[in-house]
Amino acid sequence: MEENNKFETLRKNLLKKVYSWREEPILKDEFISDFYKLIELCTFSLMKGEDNFFALFTIQMKRKIDLNIATAIGTTVSLSHFILHFNPYILLECNLDEIKALIKHEIYHIMFGHIKRGGEMRKKYSDFVVNTALDISINQYIQNLPPWSATIENVKLSFDADFEYEKNAEYYAEQLQKAMEKLKGEKGPEILQGKNSEPYDKYERKHEISKAHDIWIQCKDDYNFEELNELTKKTANNCNRGKMPSSLEKALKALNEKPEISWAEYLKKVIGTLPVGYKKTITRKDRRQPDRLELRGKLSNHVAKILVAIDISGSVTDEEIKKIMIEIFSIVRNHPCELTLMECDNTIRRVYKVKSIKDIKPKIETRGGTAFSPVFQYIYDKKLRNHLLIYFTDGMGEEEIKVKVINRKTLWVLTGQEENLSLTNPPGEIKKLSNKKIEKNDVKIAIEDMGEIIKDWACAANQYI
């Protein structure tokens, strides 16, 4: 009770100063110091009981007062840490429990990868739909949120929609879009986009759902999503002393998932046997004419050319596709290669180049049968004999490949429950994603288990105590 009284006294004093600003804010040193002390008190309150995971996460984040964001708290990310942005106009209207809930809200966004997923969703839906879907997907796990927060209950009432609980943001975006399309009336589009006739203030003084995550969009050029994922994992793992809500345990488990195949060892073995050609270099003389200094020498080109085929047939589950993507991410992230991704079932559906993780596209929705021959026909037609083929499949398909196999190396990766490939005489090696070795075609691919809390926030905070 004493802690809450101390917090409320400081909050009300800060709020009076905000009211005194009128049109132009005056961020004096005393206000900044007291404001960060208020956030400190909130963090220390989170340290108690079942919320200490969020406290430990917050301690690793830097802080910034930002009068231009359209919500109470927003998040950005740098190379080494996350940054919490606070808008005093909105935040200071909230009590201690509501501010703690808002901090949890931001950490849920980070843990669920919403910065990246939100960007992908905006390619299909409006900002209003995306922001609402992102928020209601996590707010169902948080208590004591401010009354203006988007929840499943109030969105249901507003749009006469029927949402299930514990679904992902993509599900809520799709359902909300359908509900919006059913609305009738001249003011429908205006309401749905969160627009109104009120003038826009220079400094935001209320929460606006359609702009709540604009801070992510403004900084999108600074995000390397591969590094963002690693930073999230590192920050969350540093909080393992704290009690984590069950709703976040699954997210952390997904962050810590590791590829089952040691691609480093396998590719090292395979690349040495593939004819990958040469590249010119000025650091070596021409071997045939060493006296001619103007001629460049040659070095072996060790960039592997890899064709990854993914079976997207009806027998391959979404969970199996998830395992496949983890393995592909490992290849793209850790090994220099020219990687071509192919989606196929009983025919080839899509082929495209992949240079980084963000180039991987969402899976095409198709539920055809499985045939292996089209992939080998593609290799034959394109003369890709020097490519390594990595074929992810559940194993159920043809018994015989109906085309001449010309590529020198093939790795079959079984993703489903089947212990064997349906082919009677499959070319290449076989590996199953299950930590079990299959003794077939001399498979000897090793299984690998890949194996300081950031104190800047706390150090910076100490000066305000």
Side-chain angles (χ1 to χ4, degrees):
M1 182 63 69
E2 181 181 351
E3 176 189 27
N4 194 35
N5 291 337
K6 184 177 181 181
F7 178 92
E8 278 299 303
T9 299
L10 183 56
R11 182 186 71 84
K12 290 177 181 178
N13 288 337
L14 288 168
L15 190 58
K16 288 179 182 178
K17 293 179 181 179
V18 169
Y19 287 155
S20 70
W21 290 348
R22 296 183 180 178
E23 297 300 325
E24 292 294 331
I26 305 173
L27 285 173
K28 295 183 178 181
D29 290 343
E30 182 183 0
F31 179 89
I32 296 172
S33 175
D34 288 343
F35 184 85
Y36 286 145
K37 186 174 182 180
L38 184 83
I39 303 304
E40 235 176 69
L41 291 172
C42 184
T43 305
F44 294 152
S45 180
L46 281 169
M47 191 67 77
K48 299 177 180 179
E50 297 185 354
D51 292 335
N52 54 359
F53 171 83
F54 297 101
L56 292 169
F57 202 106
T58 306
I59 286 172
Q60 299 176 75
M61 305 173 77
K62 291 186 180 294
R63 303 147 302 151
K64 181 179 180 181
I65 295 176
D66 190 338
L67 302 172
N68 297 300
I69 59 175
T71 188
I73 307 179
T75 306
T76 57
V77 61
S78 73
L79 186 62
S80 61
H81 54 265
F82 293 100
I83 305 167
L84 282 173
H85 296 246
F86 300 98
N87 188 337
Y89 282 114
I90 307 173
L91 186 77
L92 293 174
E93 297 283 356
C94 303
N95 61 36
L96 176 59
D97 288 337
E98 289 172 341
I99 294 177
K100 290 195 294 184
L102 290 171
I103 291 175
K104 293 179 186 179
H105 176 93
E106 292 304 310
I107 293 172
Y108 266 97
H109 276 317
I110 293 170
M111 291 293 295
F112 281 18
H114 281 179
I115 295 176
K116 177 180 179 181
R117 290 165 59 190
E120 292 298 319
M121 291 167 63
R122 284 187 178 86
K123 297 176 183 178
K124 187 175 181 181
Y125 304 106
S126 68
D127 287 345
F128 174 82
V129 171
V130 173
N131 291 343
T132 302
L134 291 172
D135 281 357
I136 65 177
S137 71
I138 61 176
N139 284 347
Q140 59 188 295
Y141 305 114
I142 307 172
Q143 296 180 344
N144 301 316
L145 284 159
W148 41 258
S149 301
T151 64
I152 289 180
E153 290 76 16
N154 60 35
V155 174
K156 271 185 177 181
L157 292 174
S158 298
F159 297 96
D160 192 23
D162 186 19
F163 298 138
E164 297 181 26
Y165 288 87
E166 298 186 6
K167 297 291 185 178
N168 60 29
E170 288 78 6
Y171 162 83
Y172 293 116
E174 181 181 359
Q175 296 303 313
L176 179 57
Q177 183 67 33
K178 290 178 181 178
M180 288 170 56
E181 291 171 355
K182 292 181 181 179
L183 290 180
K184 304 294 182 180
E186 295 180 358
K187 292 186 178 181
E190 179 181 335
I191 295 172
L192 298 178
Q193 295 302 326
K195 296 179 180 178
N196 53 58
S197 58
E198 296 178 6
Y200 175 77
D201 291 335
K202 181 178 179 181
Y203 299 105
E204 296 289 357
R205 303 192 182 189
K206 63 181 180 179
H207 173 82
E208 294 190 52
I209 186 64
S210 62
K211 302 175 184 177
H213 303 132
D214 281 2
I215 194 168
W216 298 349
I217 303 172
Q218 295 165 3
C219 302
K220 65 181 179 180
D221 293 335
D222 297 330
Y223 292 132
N224 179 309
F225 291 122
E226 182 180 338
E227 294 174 353
L228 175 59
N229 189 65
E230 290 300 315
L231 177 60
T232 303
K233 180 168 65 175
K234 176 183 176 183
T235 308
N237 286 334
N238 284 340
C239 305
N240 58 12
R241 301 195 309 273
K243 181 175 176 57
M244 178 179 293
S246 58
S247 51
L248 288 181
E249 288 177 352
K250 186 176 180 180
L252 183 59
K253 181 180 178 181
L255 284 169
N256 287 320
E257 282 186 315
K258 306 163 188 174
E260 294 185 26
I261 296 176
S262 175
W263 294 109
E265 184 167 331
Y266 181 78
L267 293 180
K268 181 179 179 180
K269 179 180 70 174
V270 171
I271 291 172
T273 63
L274 288 175
V276 291
Y278 299 91
K279 59 183 177 181
K280 296 287 186 178
T281 177
I282 61 174
T283 63
R284 180 173 294 185
K285 297 178 181 179
D286 184 89
R287 295 181 64 182
R288 294 186 177 182
Q289 302 181 68
D291 295 332
R292 294 188 59 182
L293 301 180
E294 76 278 10
L295 296 179
R296 292 188 295 172
K298 295 180 180 180
L299 285 175
S300 296
N301 185 3
H302 293 293
V303 177
K305 296 181 178 180
I306 302 175
L307 178 64
V308 176
I310 303 179
D311 180 359
I312 58 171
S313 65
S315 56
V316 178
T317 67
D318 291 339
E319 185 63 28
E320 289 166 22
I321 292 293
K322 180 181 176 182
K323 288 184 178 180
I324 290 170
M325 301 312 292
I326 292 171
E327 302 297 323
I328 292 175
F329 289 167
S330 177
I331 297 173
V332 175
R333 180 170 60 245
N334 298 323
H335 310 290
C337 60
E338 294 178 9
L339 195 150
T340 302
L341 202 59
M342 176 185 293
E343 296 174 1
C344 49
D345 44 22
N346 58 348
T347 187
I348 295 174
R349 301 292 180 177
R350 181 167 61 183
V351 181
Y352 61 96
K353 297 285 186 181
V354 176
K355 293 184 178 179
S356 67
I357 291 175
K358 63 182 179 181
D359 294 333
I360 297 178
K361 302 176 182 179
K363 179 176 73 75
I364 295 175
E365 292 300 326
T366 178
R367 291 303 180 186
T370 300
F372 305 126
S373 297
V375 171
F376 290 92
Q377 184 68 56
Y378 180 90
I379 293 173
Y380 184 87
D381 293 341
K382 299 293 184 180
K383 299 180 174 60
L384 305 179
R385 67 173 64 248
N386 294 335
H387 280 59
L388 163 66
L389 171 64
I390 303 177
Y391 205 132
F392 290 92
T393 176
D394 60 1
M396 296 183 290
E398 299 169 295
E399 294 184 358
E400 183 180 351
I401 296 175
K402 301 173 183 178
V403 65
K404 182 180 179 181
V405 178
I406 64 170
N407 58 297
R408 305 191 181 192
K409 292 288 181 179
T410 300
L411 172 64
W412 301 88
V413 183
L414 302 185
T415 62
Q417 299 298 320
E418 295 295 320
E419 294 291 333
N420 298 297
L421 194 61
S422 62
L423 292 170
T424 55
N425 188 25
E429 302 176 345
I430 304 173
K431 175 71 184 79
K432 182 171 174 58
L433 290 182
S434 63
N435 287 328
K436 297 178 182 177
K437 293 184 179 179
I438 297 179
E439 298 299 334
K440 187 171 183 179
N441 288 3
D442 298 324
V443 180
K444 295 180 180 178
I445 305 172
I447 303 299
E448 175 183 76
D449 289 329
M450 301 173 62
E452 64 207 57
I453 291 181
I454 302 172
K455 297 183 179 179
D456 291 345
W457 185 93
C459 292
N462 285 337
Q463 60 182 305
Y464 301 118
I465 299 177

